[in-house]
Amino acid sequence: MTEKSPFKLNEKNNPIFITGPCSAETREQVLETAKSLKEQNTCTYFRSGIWKPRTRPNSFEGVGEVGLKWLKEVKETYQIPVACEVAMPSHVDLCLKYNIDLLWIGARTTASPFAMQEIANALKGQNIPILVKNPINAELSLWLGGIERIEKAGINQIGAIHRGFSGIEHGVYRNMPMWHVPMELKRLRPDISVICDPSHITGKRDLIAKIAQYAMDLNFDGLMIETHPTPQEALSDSAQQVTPEHLKTIVNDLIIKNESSHNKSYENQLEFLRAKIDRIDDEIIELIKSRGDISTQIGELKRDENVTIFQQGRMEELMRLRKERAKSQGVSTDLIENLFTHIHSDSVNIQAKVLEKESQASK
Ligand code: PEP
Ligand code: MN
């Protein structure tokens, strides 16, 4: 397990809020947003995109360097640290020149190890927090690799942002959350802060509160939420930006839970229930062992009869029956399908081993 680094973006039970517009559009828009966020205390870092990595050309591609001057003004006027997205070494150099406090790397950039390495090279010797958004595709190692490249450049204030993953089937979301991916990142890297970006996950302002709460329930360290004084007129990501007032409601309504509790009755009950789960898990393992022993016997039977190990029809029938049973018991059919795919493939392996032994014996 990785050592906890001293860097955590948030204090315990105190999520950070990275809020501000998707893009800096005008000086007035940037300062007006910052003023509202400051007044309502919903901004730990003020975010704004200056260079916008748009999926299609001819979309608004950001105001460029002048936006950094506006961010500097936000910092000086409202004493809020400011954050900006970087996608190339020249962006890093300019952000450092304007004393931007935190940089994040966007999803399209994380997907390219070449770009990540170039950014890492530009960051060598610097001391600035960097947040790495997940790559657009759900490949955890690409995300981890991006983080590691930045760390290797000597940056130790590093975190991650979960913004969901592109796919053909989006469902209601712009980017599928696939929560197991950031949860696995949290398991592998407990030493870094993981922030959730409900704006880019949902793509729709009305769904942000729900995803924000879910992220808090999963113990994320904070939220990145795009905020604009007049979202309908925003030049980028209009449908997912919220007004500062809307943001205030989202933040006020969040229920922040504790990671643990020292209440004795809670601890006793939890211990009791966990002991029950442990016993059930032991039984599951024992049952899997018994099932494996029967697979060995089936393997021997098929071997003696010169029959193939795998029968497609049996696999389909088995899956259909297990899913029917799961449904009648109120158990997730997806879970049962996944579980029995593994169990069945293990059974095939066991039977293959029976044959292997036979062919070795006959050599
Ligand atoms: C953004 O934060 O505005 C942005 C471009 O995000 P992403 O990289 O998640 O698309
Ligand atoms: Mn955006």
Side-chain angles (χ1 to χ4, degrees):
M1 185 107 350
T2 331
E3 278 269 299
K4 280 239 172 219
S5 100
F7 178 68
K8 267 281 173 188
L9 274 167
N10 61 324
E11 299 294 321
K12 227 175 171 20
N13 279 332
N14 210 1
I16 69 153
F17 294 100
I18 305 176
T19 51
C22 174
S23 303
E25 297 165 5
T26 64
R27 176 176 172 272
E28 291 65 37
Q29 167 242 10
V30 168
L31 289 166
E32 186 189 334
T33 313
K35 183 170 186 283
S36 307
L37 296 178
K38 175 73 183 183
E39 280 167 5
Q40 60 187 38
N41 194 21
T42 49
C43 185
T44 322
Y45 283 89
F46 183 83
R47 68 149 278 155
S48 189
I50 303 292
W51 303 280
K52 297 306 296 177
R54 307 313 299 280
T55 307
R56 312 277 300 265
N58 305 324
S59 313
F60 174 63
E61 291 192 329
V63 292
E65 185 172 350
V66 67
L68 294 173
K69 294 198 175 118
W70 306 336
L71 280 181
K72 194 160 171 267
E73 226 178 311
V74 165
K75 186 171 163 169
E76 286 164 4
T77 314
Y78 299 112
Q79 276 83 49
I80 311 175
V82 290
C84 184
E85 173 175 347
V86 291
M88 0 188 195
S90 60
H91 298 166
V92 173
D93 295 344
L94 277 167
C95 284
L96 292 170
K97 181 174 147 199
Y98 283 86
N99 288 324
I100 301 302
D101 300 284
L102 177 148
L103 307 180
W104 83 84
I105 295 162
R108 293 160 191 79
T109 312
T110 312
S112 161
F114 289 115
M116 288 305 284
Q117 193 52 53
E118 288 199 358
I119 294 172
N121 295 344
L123 283 167
K124 277 214 173 97
Q126 300 299 333
N127 180 23
I128 181 166
I130 307 289
L131 300 181
V132 180
K133 283 198 168 194
N134 65 255
I136 42 180
N137 52 320
E139 196 178 343
L140 179 60
S141 52
L142 205 51
W143 197 1
L144 283 166
I147 291 170
E148 286 157 8
R149 282 178 201 276
I150 304 295
E151 282 176 319
K152 279 187 131 183
I155 299 283
N156 53 22
Q157 305 177 69
I158 188 145
I161 303 175
H162 169 229
R163 51 78 78 195
F165 304 93
S166 321
I168 301 166
E169 284 196 38
H170 290 250
V172 291
Y173 300 122
R174 175 179 176 189
N175 292 298
M176 295 177 291
M178 302 175 85
W179 294 100
H180 61 281
V181 181
M183 293 317 284
E184 182 63 3
L185 176 82
K186 275 158 80 65
R187 188 182 72 80
L188 294 170
R189 294 298 310 261
D191 55 318
I192 66 174
S193 296
V194 185
I195 309 292
C196 178
D197 174 347
S199 307
H200 287 89
I201 289 177
T202 62
K204 298 179 196 77
R205 59 186 136 267
D206 291 343
L207 300 178
I208 290 176
K210 186 173 154 226
I211 292 290
Q213 182 62 55
Y214 195 63
M216 292 296 98
D217 293 345
L218 291 177
N219 205 20
F220 277 63
D221 298 279
L223 297 168
M224 177 181 257
I225 300 180
E226 292 186 334
T227 320
H228 192 288
T230 48
Q232 292 81 353
E233 290 161 24
L235 298 181
S236 59
D237 289 350
S238 166
Q240 70 190 36
Q241 301 210 56
V242 293
T243 59
E245 296 70 37
H246 186 168
L247 174 70
K248 175 102 182 120
T249 317
I250 294 174
V251 171
N252 282 350
D253 289 351
L254 281 177
I255 299 167
I256 311 294
K257 294 166 185 144
N258 298 321
E259 195 180 347
S260 60
S261 157
H262 294 301
N263 173 331
K264 262 283 150 243
S265 139
Y266 159 84
E267 281 184 343
N268 290 340
Q269 283 187 59
L270 187 66
E271 202 179 312
F272 171 72
L273 293 172
R274 282 185 173 161
K276 273 182 154 181
I277 290 254
D278 289 347
R279 224 174 28 245
I280 292 177
D281 287 354
D282 283 348
E283 280 172 25
I284 292 176
I285 293 169
E286 280 158 21
L287 286 172
I288 289 175
K289 163 81 177 88
S290 308
R291 196 185 192 282
D293 292 345
I294 298 174
S295 293
T296 306
Q297 292 172 31
I298 293 181
E300 288 163 356
L301 202 61
K302 287 181 183 168
R303 175 198 59 201
D304 296 345
E305 205 53 30
N306 214 15
V307 168
T308 58
I309 295 170
F310 183 72
Q311 279 91 32
Q312 184 68 33
R314 163 69 182 155
M315 167 65 174
E316 279 159 15
E317 182 64 357
L318 179 151
M319 206 53 107
R320 189 183 65 74
L321 291 171
R322 304 298 179 268
K323 281 165 75 178
E324 242 174 41
R325 176 118 179 106
K327 206 167 170 200
S328 73
Q329 297 284 313
V331 172
S332 152
T333 49
D334 278 353
L335 167 67
I336 291 304
E337 185 164 6
N338 283 332
L339 190 63
F340 277 96
T341 303
H342 290 294
I343 289 181
H344 185 263
S345 106
D346 186 59
S347 173
V348 171
N349 284 341
I350 291 173
Q351 295 180 40
K353 278 205 188 104
V354 173
L355 282 191
E356 231 171 68
K357 268 197 204 132
E358 182 208 39
S359 63
Q360 271 165 11
S362 62
K363 265 181 201 163

